[in-house]
Amino acid sequence: MSPVDVTPVPTPAPVPTPAPVSPVDVTPVPTPAPVPTPAPVPTPATLVTDSEEFTITATTNVTISKLVYKGAVKRTQADEYIEISNLGNTPANISGWKITSAASSKQFLTFPPGTILEGGKSFRIYTNEVHPETGGFSFGSKTAIWNDAGDEAKLFDTAGSNVSTLAYGKNTVAGIKQELKVPQLKFVATHTLINKQMALGGKVTFTEALSSAIQSFLEDDSNAKNPLALILKDPTAFGLAAGATKAMATEKLRSYLNEGGTLSLLPNAKSSTGVDKNWIFELSLAAFAGKTFCAVVTC
């Protein structure tokens, strides 16, 4: 038997062991300190100003939002319209609600049964035109309803509460002051305060109350503590001749209202007997060394 020629199997070369890797020195990233959330800045209350074309009050989401009181149609101004808007998100049933003009109680429109004003929508009520795309409402009046010189529109709910008003022209704050010859009298009130007072349910509107308050200061001398009575009591102390008439004292007082006079609407709250609906105004006159006077307009 011949010997088998066995070829030796080569021994594999040894695999070198890799050198140990040094650990990487990782610097941790610091967690940023939480930034405090700033406290919300309260929105300042909006003041009523003389520059406003319209003075609007509203006690609900449904409000008078616009009035076009100068129509393009000659003589009849049939295209005048007043706009009622629902500023809320839910439908409002305004069936039986009434719109009227302060200038004439005979000029009114009552919304028919089933009148629903959707949230965010508006209706327009024309003097004597019908526009279905804006509700199709019309006073059907052959003559103009809204006085171009000034008027006040009123919106009443089914309970007879005055839920919104819109005054313009001679019926605005600026118009009233101009009419009573005290254009420089400073008036201070916020829309929020006026709306809260209206929500108490009185029958006297804001502009009606404001006009009455100013007139009471200029005309009422029956209360010894009123400024007019104080001037008449000692006219020489106010630069008038002894025995000055009421008319002279009124003109003097009017000048004081125009020179450093401030009239403010004061907050009103529930009294011990229930809800006090009266408007309360405070008058401050520089000529009376900071003394204040109060006028209460009964609703």
Side-chain angles (χ1 to χ4, degrees), residues 29-238:
V29 178
T31 303
V35 178
T37 303
V41 179
T43 304
T46 305
L47 292 173
V48 177
T49 69
D50 289 352
S51 62
E52 296 175 355
E53 180 182 5
F54 301 111
T55 301
I56 300 175
T57 67
T59 64
T60 69
N61 285 329
V62 179
T63 178
I64 302 173
S65 54
K66 186 178 181 179
L67 179 63
V68 174
Y69 54 88
K70 288 185 178 181
V73 178
K74 294 182 179 180
R75 296 193 309 275
T76 64
Q77 296 193 53
D79 55 331
E80 296 174 324
Y81 68 82
I82 184 171
E83 187 172 86
I84 310 298
S85 298
N86 182 356
L87 305 182
N89 298 319
T90 58
N93 186 343
I94 60 172
S95 305
W97 288 34
K98 184 171 71 173
I99 303 171
T100 186
S101 160
S104 174
S105 59
K106 295 180 181 179
Q107 297 172 322
F108 68 91
L109 175 137
T110 302
F111 289 103
T115 304
I116 306 297
L117 181 54
E118 299 293 335
K121 300 296 183 180
S122 300
F123 286 146
R124 289 180 180 179
I125 301 88
Y126 284 81
T127 291
N128 199 20
E129 291 184 352
V130 176
H131 294 265
E133 70 277 11
T134 56
F137 299 102
S138 173
F139 285 96
S141 174
K142 295 180 180 180
T143 58
I145 287 181
W146 309 108
N147 188 332
D148 291 353
D151 197 352
E152 185 170 25
K154 301 179 181 182
L155 176 64
F156 297 89
D157 62 16
T158 53
S161 298
N162 186 186
V163 297
S164 181
T165 66
L166 182 151
Y168 65 95
K170 65 182 181 181
N171 289 69
T172 61
V173 173
I176 290 169
K177 293 197 298 181
Q178 192 68 40
E179 185 87 3
L180 297 176
K181 300 178 182 179
V182 288
Q184 302 305 315
L185 173 65
K186 182 180 180 182
F187 178 67
V188 181
T190 65
H191 289 280
T192 299
L193 181 57
I194 292 170
N195 290 338
K196 284 184 177 179
Q197 176 65 35
M198 284 293 297
L200 294 179
K203 301 302 181 183
V204 177
T205 68
F206 160 62
T207 55
E208 290 169 342
L210 176 63
S211 179
S212 294
I214 297 175
Q215 288 184 68
S216 71
F217 286 122
L218 291 171
E219 299 172 3
D220 183 14
D221 62 343
S222 61
N223 186 338
K225 295 182 179 180
N226 277 356
L228 183 60
L230 293 175
I231 295 175
L232 286 170
K233 180 180 180 181
D234 188 6
T236 59
F238 297 93

Side-chain angles (χ1 to χ4, degrees), residues 247-265:
M248 296 169 64
T250 297
E251 286 307 306
K252 189 66 177 180
L253 177 57
R254 183 174 276 115
S255 71
Y256 290 151
L257 266 66
N258 281 310
E259 300 169 7
T262 299
L263 183 65
S264 304
L265 175 64

